[in-house]
Amino acid sequence: MPFSIPIPRPASEPLALSPAATLQTYLLFGLALGLTAVGVACGSLYSATLFRGGLHFVLLLAELGIVFTARWWVRERPWNVILFCLFPLLSGITVTPYLWYVSGSFVNGNAILLNALIASALLFAAAAVFARTTRISLAGMSGFLVLSLIGLIVFGLLQLFVPALRQSVGFEMGLSAAGVVLFAMFAAFDIQRVEAGARAGESPFLLALSLYLDIFNLFLYVLRFITAIAGDRK
């Protein structure tokens, strides 16, 4: 299953974003979502070429390379525009086989995909409302969220290599539910960063990429959870 890791945050003190930078962040975020849809369409149309001969694995490595080098390219024009647009496009392409698997392996596969999309949008909206209305600062949660993410990855690897865990519906439900909660928290954390203050010197490209990673992973874990509890295999 495709998996993306939120970009680490710097340790500097918060500095408020200008309204123009805040708007740019959300416009870039919307652009990334649109490019993901284009990527899924490309992955569907050219699947025979894209997923043959290990090209899919190469694209996944390219995604990781873009994410982990983000702090170097976000301020370098035109690379910040090129690589920012390329990342969601690749994400849409590489997630296509998983979407096909859900659609083709379950009687209610298309309904699962639609419900996962709607649920992810509602959860992200709820995180946004909470982040913008609460008086609680989420800035101190960075360490907890990163440690929780590491734990989620560890349990995911255990599930991958331990057959008993891989076959356990209860474990899959628990792991996917934990992922849903964690990335909803990441979304609230990042939205508050955008609304109330960004780390000193951070780029709107970096903030938008963080928001994109939050909702992308949120969707994947919502999809896994719905599949575990409501999937009716063919």
Side-chain angles (χ1 to χ4, degrees):
M1 186 196 75
F3 188 79
S4 302
I5 301 175
I7 300 171
R9 282 74 179 171
S12 51
E13 291 298 317
L15 178 67
L17 281 175
S18 67
T22 302
L23 177 61
Q24 184 183 5
T25 298
Y26 285 116
L27 288 176
L28 288 170
F29 173 59
L31 174 63
L33 295 179
L35 288 172
T36 303
V38 173
V40 171
C42 291
S44 301
L45 290 173
Y46 304 105
S47 58
T49 301
L50 292 169
F51 306 122
R52 185 170 52 204
L55 182 57
H56 185 253
F57 181 70
V58 173
L59 295 180
L60 286 172
L61 288 180
E63 278 187 77
L64 291 175
I66 292 172
V67 168
F68 286 113
T69 60
R71 291 198 178 278
W72 288 273
W73 57 256
V74 289
R75 299 188 183 283
E76 300 295 329
R77 291 184 177 274
W79 290 109
N80 52 1
V81 176
I82 294 171
L83 293 177
F84 179 85
C85 292
L86 182 61
F87 181 77
L89 188 64
L90 292 178
S91 296
I93 292 172
T94 55
V95 81
T96 302
Y98 183 53
L99 302 182
W100 280 1
Y101 163 75
V102 173
S103 178
S105 299
F106 298 89
V107 175
N108 54 341
N110 291 332
I112 289 175
L113 291 172
L114 179 59
N115 290 336
L117 187 63
I118 294 173
S120 300
L122 292 176
L123 284 169
F124 193 85
V129 171
F130 174 77
R132 298 186 64 177
T133 58
T134 184
R135 295 184 178 180
I136 302 172
S137 173
L138 304 179
M141 292 182 59
S142 178
F144 168 77
L145 292 174
V146 172
L147 289 175
S148 298
L149 177 59
I150 292 172
L152 190 69
I153 294 172
V154 169
F155 281 107
L157 291 174
L158 284 175
Q159 184 188 39
L160 183 64
F161 293 107
V162 179
L165 295 180
R166 191 165 59 246
Q167 298 167 6
S168 172
V169 176
F171 187 85
E172 172 66 11
M173 289 176 59
L175 185 65
S176 55
V180 170
V181 173
L182 177 60
F183 284 105
M185 293 172 65
F186 260 118
F189 174 82
D190 285 323
I191 289 167
Q192 196 172 84
R193 287 172 61 216
V194 175
E195 293 297 321
R199 302 293 184 180
E202 278 191 306
S203 162
F205 285 92
L206 195 62
L207 292 168
L209 187 57
S210 294
L211 289 175
Y212 174 76
L213 289 168
D214 295 337
I215 196 168
F216 185 79
N217 282 285
L218 180 62
F219 168 73
L220 291 179
Y221 278 100
V222 168
L223 184 56
R224 288 181 63 174
F225 182 76
I226 296 177
T227 300
I229 64 172
D232 184 11
R233 287 189 178 275
K234 292 183 178 178

